[in-house]
Amino acid sequence: MLLDFNLSDDLVVHGKPNLVTGGTLPYMSPEQLKAVSTGDKISTQSDIFSLGVIFYELLSGQRPFSERHGPFEDIVTRAIADRQQTYTPVARLNPAVPPSISAIVEHCLSPDPSARYDSMEMLADDISCHLENRPPQHATHVSLKEHTRKWIRRHPRLTSAGGVFTIAAMILALLFAGLYTRGLAIARLEAGNLLDEIEAAL
């Protein structure tokens, strides 16, 4: 069902043909907003940006950028400037959002199209990684705490009581083996020193 005929119309803006003039301003990428006046073509990365705005709104209850009012040209200019500025991370507005999901949203909302996901498949991969308790492959994610939690979920046997006991026993065995080896090395060193003293006395 086609709901928005403005999106499907071949318009001419400032004497240039433009197939991307239509759109909902709060969800448009900076390059799509620029295309309103330039008529430049846009790529899939623009859709990824718009999807990032939707993710942000679903997770926080608000949009990442201010909603502008006034003459259309002024709105577009200010909206482009807004998208070049930093915004409040979604995890700060909703503490229940994991760092990996916050990183995925930030990757979608990069003002530079080349810094976003190259394709929707890559975005889907990172979401799958999160659902499978793995760190994202494409978005920068640096939360050691979440990495540890996901590792524990992926290895339930190792983190059960029996698994923890086995690992602790192995660590103790390695520790005792190290101490024993160190003791032998010290004994050899002391014996060598004693031998040197005896030879010197003789």
Side-chain angles (χ1 to χ4, degrees):
M1 182 189 297
L2 186 60
L3 296 176
D4 194 336
F5 287 92
N6 184 41
L7 291 173
S8 66
D9 196 10
D10 185 359
L11 300 176
V12 175
V13 178
H14 300 305
K16 297 180 180 179
N18 189 342
L19 295 173
V20 293
T21 302
T24 307
L25 286 172
Y27 299 90
M28 289 167 72
S29 65
E31 65 270 22
Q32 187 177 4
L33 288 164
K34 288 175 185 172
V36 169
S37 57
T38 64
D40 293 340
K41 290 184 179 180
I42 57 172
S43 64
T44 307
Q45 278 65 38
S46 183
D47 292 331
I48 290 172
F49 183 95
S50 299
L51 189 57
V53 176
I54 294 171
F55 284 161
Y56 190 101
E57 190 173 8
L58 287 169
L59 293 167
S60 70
Q62 65 185 60
R63 297 189 189 113
F65 310 107
S66 301
E67 194 161 339
R68 299 297 184 179
H69 303 280
F72 183 76
E73 299 258 346
D74 289 348
I75 292 174
V76 170
T77 302
R78 289 157 71 195
I80 292 170
D82 288 342
R83 281 147 180 74
Q84 305 300 324
Q85 307 299 319
T86 56
Y87 55 88
T88 306
V90 69
R92 196 178 298 169
L93 297 172
N94 180 1
V97 175
S100 56
I101 292 297
S102 186
I104 289 170
V105 173
E106 286 176 24
H107 200 47
C108 291
L109 292 177
S110 172
D112 180 5
S114 63
R116 296 177 207 144
Y117 289 99
D118 289 337
S119 65
M120 288 292 185
E121 286 78 11
M122 290 173 69
L123 171 57
D125 285 345
D126 270 2
I127 293 172
S128 295
C129 284
H130 174 72
L131 295 174
E132 294 165 6
N133 291 311
R134 295 183 291 120
Q137 301 299 304
H138 309 289
T140 304
H141 175 231
V142 292
S143 172
L144 181 60
K145 185 177 179 182
E146 189 184 5
H147 273 306
T148 305
R149 272 202 302 258
K150 287 184 173 182
W151 187 89
I152 289 170
R153 289 188 198 124
R154 289 199 314 272
H155 303 88
R157 288 184 181 178
L158 292 177
T159 53
S160 64
V164 170
F165 176 78
T166 303
I167 292 170
M170 289 173 63
I171 291 170
L172 285 172
L174 289 170
L175 182 62
F176 282 124
L179 290 172
Y180 177 73
T181 305
R182 182 172 177 271
L184 287 177
I186 291 171
R188 282 197 202 97
L189 185 61
E190 288 175 348
N193 290 337
L194 182 59
L195 181 62
D196 290 341
E197 290 174 8
I198 291 171
E199 287 177 347
L202 290 174

